[in-house]
Amino acid sequence: MRIKKIVDLSMDITNSTPVYPGDPEPDIRPAATIEQDGYNVSQVNFGSHTGTHVDAPVHINKNGQTIDEAGLVPFMGRGMIIDVTGKGPGDPITLEDIIPYLKRMDSEVIVLFYTGWSVFVGEERYYKHPYLSIEAVEAMLAKGVRTFLIDALNIDPPDGSSFAAHEAITEVNGIIGENLTNLEAVDFADPFIMALPLKLKGLDGSPVRAVAIEFI
């Protein structure tokens, strides 16, 4: 098996990377430099849900798995990209939107919601994204889906009025990934998705380097 194409789905992490309101702002600075110390080392301080990241079930469910307990299987597999680029700010992604895809879903599929919202990174509009309705989430969970990724700041409503999607997914130890980008560049069918977290023992989430791979 050889790799034909890799698409990076990850957001740059810088001091200006947008975070969920109230989360720690990134603080990245030199700790040592070649000029002063003979080598470069950086000090990197940011929250566990910074940039392109995954939520461990314990992020919302106090009895859920931590990021290290989740293992590696949920973070890699056959991707299914659902195009919902017609949605506007604060619009729900409904059961009707996913019905055409449901028949092909199973427990080995990673679902990626392509809203197109990553183009608004750095703008106020990025915080007013579409979100997953609980009806759509429940239908996918019933098909065995356990990993849900989106190219927006949050899978739940941008006004913070509900965390129903987070609650339903983490209740079954499912995985949520947010702040993906570049989904428009995945121009091949059945991409293999990898979004591996750091091995952060006991934590509630982790930044990831998410990629879509086309094999020959």
Side-chain angles (χ1 to χ4, degrees):
M1 184 180 293
R2 288 185 296 156
I3 293 174
K4 180 178 180 181
K5 184 176 183 178
I6 299 179
V7 178
D8 191 351
L9 307 178
S10 312
M11 181 184 291
D12 292 339
I13 297 181
T14 70
N15 286 342
S16 59
T17 296
V19 297
Y20 187 80
D23 278 8
E25 299 281 347
D27 180 12
I28 303 170
R29 64 182 68 185
T33 64
I34 289 176
E35 292 75 15
Q36 292 188 4
D37 308 287
Y39 54 89
N40 284 319
V41 173
S42 298
Q43 180 172 317
V44 180
N45 298 310
F46 48 69
S48 53
H49 299 260
T50 300
T52 306
H53 68 274
V54 289
D55 298 352
V58 78
H59 174 51
I60 293 291
N61 179 359
K62 66 179 181 180
N63 298 314
Q65 293 174 332
T66 59
I67 199 66
D68 55 306
E69 291 172 338
L72 296 176
V73 172
F75 305 103
M76 61 180 89
R78 177 169 55 91
M80 180 181 294
I81 297 176
I82 298 180
D83 189 332
V84 287
T85 51
K87 297 294 180 179
D91 283 349
I93 298 166
T94 66
L95 177 59
E96 184 178 18
D97 293 320
I98 68 163
I99 282 176
Y101 302 88
L102 275 177
K103 287 185 178 179
R104 297 187 291 118
M105 290 186 190
D106 57 39
S107 61
E108 303 197 356
V109 166
I110 292 177
V111 175
L112 303 93
F113 287 91
Y114 171 34
T115 70
W117 231 250
S118 62
V119 300
F120 302 121
V121 171
E123 302 178 22
E124 184 62 29
R125 185 181 174 96
Y126 191 64
Y127 295 90
K128 300 174 182 177
H129 49 79
Y131 69 94
L132 291 182
S133 70
I134 188 59
E135 294 80 12
V137 169
E138 289 174 342
M140 290 182 284
L141 289 173
K143 295 290 290 185
V145 178
R146 291 296 181 268
T147 304
F148 301 76
L149 311 181
I150 193 168
D151 62 344
L153 186 69
N154 186 8
I155 64 166
D156 274 307
D159 61 4
S161 60
S162 169
F163 293 98
H166 273 84
E167 290 166 357
I169 293 167
T170 59
E171 178 67 25
V172 295
N173 278 322
I175 297 296
I176 297 160
E178 295 156 331
N179 287 332
L180 276 81
T181 187
N182 210 27
L183 286 175
E184 69 278 1
V186 184
D187 57 359
F188 46 92
D190 299 322
F192 187 83
I193 303 298
M194 295 183 68
L196 295 175
L198 299 175
K199 198 172 183 180
L200 299 169
K201 190 163 183 66
L203 293 198
D204 47 82
S206 172
V208 298
R209 187 67 178 267
V211 297
I213 304 173
E214 181 181 19
F215 292 107
I216 296 175

